[in-house]
């Protein structure tokens, strides 16, 4: 694409000096503005230097003297490069789209319209990306703090004088030091790769306009060039300060060894849920400490447990930590875990049941007596011989729990083990630093009813019940709050693939304390209407059963059938008994179930030899 006709540019006065990237066409571009107001605006001129430099660095065609702003490059610049590398003071964001528009006008062939369309489509994403704390790097963050202090960001001496005052400066809400470190490391890598590619590209096909990087600049090292660019794009001399006298202000990957453990916990979460955005339940109690130091201590224990002397369960330490956290940090049973590791049958209904932590219990681990094992595992017929067989594995697992407990972040009292409040805060930090949704109790309480139900349906019953109650209490247990929550349990999730898990949350609610109007309002719900009817009857209150849809009545019958437990003949007998009381018999009942919840009906009825219509 050619430039629009324009005479050769004069030696335009006041052009921003190009000390890092050369031959970007900046002088030519500013000259074409013919001394207009934009050319005299310092914010526009700074934006012009950045935009032309980044476009050239990303490989824009410079055959005409200026980098051609192709639509793809424009989108990348707005939503990826500027949020990664450039600090833009408040009120100056509009200069960057303006530069792109003015640059596009320098070319013919309809480029102006195409670029304008991309800028318009990307405007919202650009503003969000520039304001997103998750995109901050150490350079961009400290540049913003320095400017807030009144620092002249173009004056390296002023930057050097003032940066010491930022020692201990707080981070934006929700941002961790490891987040800034990770984003900075990524931005450094991306910029270094872009510089290397640009140099190779110009060496292989020398542009007529001259190289973007001089041999002298590259000889100093790509890292030096990148640092110089970041200084121009954030604050003069900042890179030198953050790698020199004030390196402690911007810790790098070596300062976060515990991220190895964070990665292991992320792997555990992905094994459980397959998506970091699926939330784990918030702990009931947390205690603020130094999460980075505590995480390092936990990592040291995990690494020690991986040694041979802690086999066979030492390598399971990350799994144990995650498993404890995803229970809402409720304590678990050593014996129950050991039985699961040994492939004993454990009643699924008991896997997540909390275990009481006895006070003052210390000393060597002792396997619980047979009656307690029966209660923990849900397996009748256990004997002393069974207890003896479990003793070795349970003691080995207790040794792992004791090593973790030596950090003060895990507790073990008798057969119970769990996370301490400080341990809960530490594991939450490790999860969040790798992007896992690990809300605080306050954050979960602030969710909408739908968000809460989406998350709680995947949680063990104890933490789910606790958070549901907190959500209602935070809204004064009002009829409006109850109605909103009941709708989320019912109509909102009427076609959820795991609808039974959502409906099961109804049983965790304290319906005895629910406003009767909210329950009566749910009678017509096609999913939980029968649940609401039953709750009202248990309370001894009148309710119009005629209002309850057939689908809701069928779902209540489906959910009460034994889905997995017990002999098949007993489970079939339970269905037959329900069908005998259903209008139209078994065929009508199966049809109603299949229409209301085809996935759940197939899962429950299929093993009984009952086919869906």
């Amino acid at each position: 694409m050619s430039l629009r006709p324009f005479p050769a540019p004069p030696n335009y006065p006041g052009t921003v000096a190009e000390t890092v990237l050369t031959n970007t066409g900046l002088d030519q571009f500013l000259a074409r503005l013919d001394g207009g107001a934009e050319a005299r605006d310092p914010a526009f001129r700074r934006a012009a230097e950045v935009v032309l430099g980044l476009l050239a660095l990303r490989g824009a065609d410079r055959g005409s003297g200026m980098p051609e702003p192709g639509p793809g490059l424009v989108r990348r610049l707005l939503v990826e490069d500027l949020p990664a590398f450039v600090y833009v003071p408040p009120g100056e964001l509009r200069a960057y789209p303006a530069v792109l528009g003015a640059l596009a006008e320098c070319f013919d062939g309809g480029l102006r319209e195409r670029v304008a369309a991309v800028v318009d489509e990307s405007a919202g994403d650009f503003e969000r990306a520039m304001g997103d704390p998750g995109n901050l790097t150490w350079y961009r963050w400290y540049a913003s703090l320095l400017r807030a202090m009144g620092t002249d960001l173009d004056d390296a001496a002023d930057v050097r004088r003032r940066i010491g005052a930022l020692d201990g400066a707080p981070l934006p809400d929700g941002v961790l030091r490891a987040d800034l470190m990770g984003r900075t490391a990524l931005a450094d890598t991306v910029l270094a790769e872009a510089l290397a590619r640009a140099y190779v590209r110009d060496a292989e096909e020398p542009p007529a306009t001259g190289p973007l990087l001089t041999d002298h600049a590259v000889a100093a090292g790509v890292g030096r060039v990148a640092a110089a660019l970041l200084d121009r794009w954030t604050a003069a001399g900042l890179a030198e300060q953050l790698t020199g006298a004030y390196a402690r202000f911007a810790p790098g990957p070596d300062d976060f060894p515990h991220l190895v453990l964070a990665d292991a916990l992320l792997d555990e979460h992905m094994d459980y849920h397959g998506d970091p955005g699926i939330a784990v339940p918030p702990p009931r109690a947390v205690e603020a400490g130094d999460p980075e130091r505590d995480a390092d201590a936990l990592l040291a224990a995990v690494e020690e447990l991986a040694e041979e002397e802690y086999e066979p369960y030492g390598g399971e330490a990350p799994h144990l930590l995650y498993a404890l956290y995803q229970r809402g940090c409720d304590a678990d049973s050593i014996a129950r875990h050991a039985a699961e590791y040994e492939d004993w049958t454990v009643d699924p209904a008991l896997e997540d049941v909390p275990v009481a932590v006895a006070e003052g219990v210390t000393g060597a681990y002792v396997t619980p007596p047979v009656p307690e094992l029966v209660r923990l595992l849900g397996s009748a017929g256990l004997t002393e011989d069974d207890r003896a067989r479990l003793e070795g594995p349970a003691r080995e697992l207790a040794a792992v729990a004791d090593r973790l407990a030596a950090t003060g972040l895990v507790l073990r009292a008798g057969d119970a083990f769990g996370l301490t409040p400080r341990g809960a805060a530490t594991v939450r930090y490790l999860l969040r630093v790798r992007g896992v949704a690990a809300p605080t109790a306050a954050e979960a309480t602030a969710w909408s009813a739908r968000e809460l139900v989406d998350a709680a349906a995947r949680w063990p019953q104890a933490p789910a019940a606790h958070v549901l109650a907190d959500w209602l209490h935070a809204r004064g247990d009002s009829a409006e709050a109850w109605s909103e929550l009941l709708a989320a349990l019912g109509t909102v999730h009427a076609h959820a693939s795991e609808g039974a898990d959502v409906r099961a949350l109804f049983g965790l609610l304290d319906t005895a304390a629910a406003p009767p109007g909210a329950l009566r309002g749910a009678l017509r719900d096609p999913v939980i209407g029968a649940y609401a009817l039953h709750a009202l009857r248990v309370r001894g209150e009148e309710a119009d059963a005629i209002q309850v849809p057939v689908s809701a009545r069928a779902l209540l019958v489906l959910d009460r059938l034994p889905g997995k437990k017990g002999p098949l003949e007993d489970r079939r007998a339970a269905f037959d008994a329900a069908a005998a009381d259903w209008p139209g018999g078994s065929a009508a009942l199966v049809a109603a179930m299949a229409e209301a919840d085809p996935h759940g009906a197939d899962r429950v009825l299929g093993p009984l030899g009952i086919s869906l219509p």
Side-chain angles (χ1 to χ4, degrees):
M1 184 175 293
S2 62
L3 283 168
R4 292 180 176 177
F6 190 80
N11 187 9
Y12 190 83
T15 298
V16 177
E18 294 178 283
T19 60
V20 183
L21 301 178
T22 61
N23 301 308
T24 64
L26 180 62
D27 287 349
Q28 184 176 347
F29 171 65
L30 293 174
R32 293 180 71 89
L33 300 179
D34 197 23
E38 289 178 326
R40 296 191 299 273
D41 181 359
F44 182 90
R45 290 156 60 92
R46 178 175 183 270
E49 179 190 9
V50 173
V51 167
L52 270 65
L54 277 169
L55 288 173
L57 191 60
R58 287 301 195 181
D61 185 354
R62 292 185 288 129
S64 59
M66 292 182 290
E68 182 178 316
L73 288 176
V74 168
R75 168 77 183 177
R76 183 177 190 174
L77 181 142
L78 289 173
V79 301
E80 296 182 29
D81 289 343
L82 290 174
F85 307 128
V86 184
Y87 167 65
V88 181
E92 296 186 10
L93 278 181
R94 63 184 183 277
Y96 291 82
V99 167
L100 288 166
L103 180 61
E105 289 183 358
C106 298
F107 295 83
D108 59 17
L111 185 62
R112 174 185 178 183
E113 290 74 19
R114 298 202 304 277
V115 168
V118 171
V119 169
D120 184 61
E121 292 170 2
S122 305
D125 291 337
F126 169 55
E127 292 184 7
R128 281 191 293 272
M130 292 301 292
D132 184 356
N135 285 333
L136 285 174
T137 63
W138 290 123
Y139 302 106
R140 293 183 64 223
W141 175 235
Y142 282 116
S144 69
L145 294 177
L146 287 165
R147 187 182 186 279
M149 295 169 58
T151 308
D152 181 354
L153 299 185
D154 294 324
D155 185 343
D158 197 23
V159 169
R160 184 170 58 252
R161 282 194 300 271
R162 293 178 181 264
I163 191 171
L166 298 179
D167 196 2
L171 299 179
D173 289 342
V175 176
L176 304 170
R177 295 199 327 151
D179 296 332
L180 280 167
M181 178 278 297
R183 182 65 177 169
T184 302
L186 175 62
D188 287 348
T189 299
V190 171
L191 183 55
E193 290 176 349
L195 286 165
R197 282 196 297 268
Y199 182 73
V200 171
R201 187 169 56 241
D202 284 356
E204 292 177 344
E205 297 183 23
T209 54
L212 189 62
L213 296 163
T214 66
D215 291 337
H216 174 74
V218 175
V222 169
R224 292 282 297 275
V225 177
L229 277 175
L230 291 171
D231 276 358
R232 293 188 67 77
W233 294 343
T234 56
L238 182 58
E240 179 183 357
Q241 298 304 317
L242 294 183
T243 55
Y246 296 98
R248 68 184 186 280
F249 285 14
D254 291 344
D255 296 296
F256 296 85
H258 53 261
L259 293 184
V260 173
L261 180 54
D263 288 334
L265 293 175
L266 172 60
D267 289 342
E268 291 290 334
H269 183 81
M270 296 303 287
D271 287 343
Y272 270 71
H273 299 295
D275 181 354
I278 293 177
V280 288
R284 297 194 188 189
V286 293
E287 178 184 323
D290 183 335
E292 292 178 13
R293 182 176 299 173
D294 287 341
D296 286 341
L298 204 53
L299 172 65
V302 169
E303 290 180 335
E304 182 180 333
L305 286 168
E307 298 175 0
E308 185 175 352
E309 65 179 288
Y310 287 100
E311 290 185 351
Y313 302 124
E316 294 294 318
H319 170 73
L320 293 173
L321 293 169
Y322 180 84
L324 290 170
Y325 192 91
Q326 68 88 31
R327 296 165 54 85
C329 298
D330 288 330
D332 203 351
S333 161
I334 293 282
R336 188 161 61 201
H337 257 289
E340 290 175 338
Y341 279 131
E342 294 300 302
D343 294 326
W344 286 28
T345 299
V346 178
D347 184 347
L350 299 177
E351 289 176 350
D352 297 317
V353 174
V355 176
V357 178
E359 295 184 7
V361 177
T362 59
Y365 178 81
V366 177
T367 308
V370 170
E372 177 66 4
L373 287 179
V374 171
R375 189 188 71 83
L376 289 169
L377 307 182
S379 300
L382 293 177
T383 67
E384 285 294 340
D385 288 341
D386 296 319
R387 178 176 180 270
R389 285 193 298 114
L390 189 61
E391 183 174 359
R395 285 184 181 274
E396 290 169 338
L397 187 56
V400 173
D402 287 344
R403 175 61 187 92
L404 293 172
T407 65
L409 306 173
V410 171
L411 62 88
R412 198 219 13 119
D415 185 55
F417 77 117
L419 293 170
T420 65
R422 203 171 93 240
T426 304
V427 175
R428 185 176 67 201
Y429 160 77
L430 289 166
L431 291 170
R432 295 181 80 152
V433 84
R434 279 301 182 242
V436 174
T440 63
E443 289 168 342
T445 299
W447 284 341
S448 69
R450 180 166 191 163
E451 290 171 322
L452 175 64
V453 168
D454 282 338
R458 297 180 171 92
W459 297 344
Q461 289 188 355
H466 183 77
V467 177
L468 288 167
D470 283 351
W471 191 91
L472 289 167
H473 294 337
R475 290 157 179 78
D477 290 302
S478 67
E480 181 180 0
W482 270 91
S483 295
E484 184 181 353
L485 183 57
L486 291 175
L489 294 176
T491 307
V492 171
H493 286 84
H495 303 292
S497 61
E498 297 297 334
D501 293 336
V502 175
R503 298 190 297 272
L505 296 177
F506 189 98
L508 304 181
L509 301 176
D510 181 12
T511 53
L519 290 174
R520 289 196 180 94
L523 290 174
R524 294 184 179 88
D525 191 287
V527 176
I528 61 165
Y531 279 90
L533 176 65
H534 178 72
L536 286 167
R537 286 177 169 172
V538 168
R539 289 161 47 136
E541 299 183 18
E542 294 184 1
D544 185 3
I546 296 177
Q547 297 183 41
V548 179
V550 171
S551 61
R553 291 191 286 115
L555 287 172
L556 183 61
V557 173
L558 175 66
D559 293 340
R560 287 180 171 178
L561 292 176
K564 297 179 181 178
K565 294 174 55 181
L568 283 177
E569 56 269 22
D570 293 346
R571 293 155 61 186
R572 178 60 192 250
F575 169 80
D576 291 339
D581 294 330
W582 189 264
S586 62
L589 176 57
V590 171
M593 290 176 172
E595 183 177 356
D597 184 356
H599 177 77
D602 183 63
R603 182 179 57 196
V604 174
L605 302 181
L608 306 183
I610 301 174
S611 300
L612 303 187

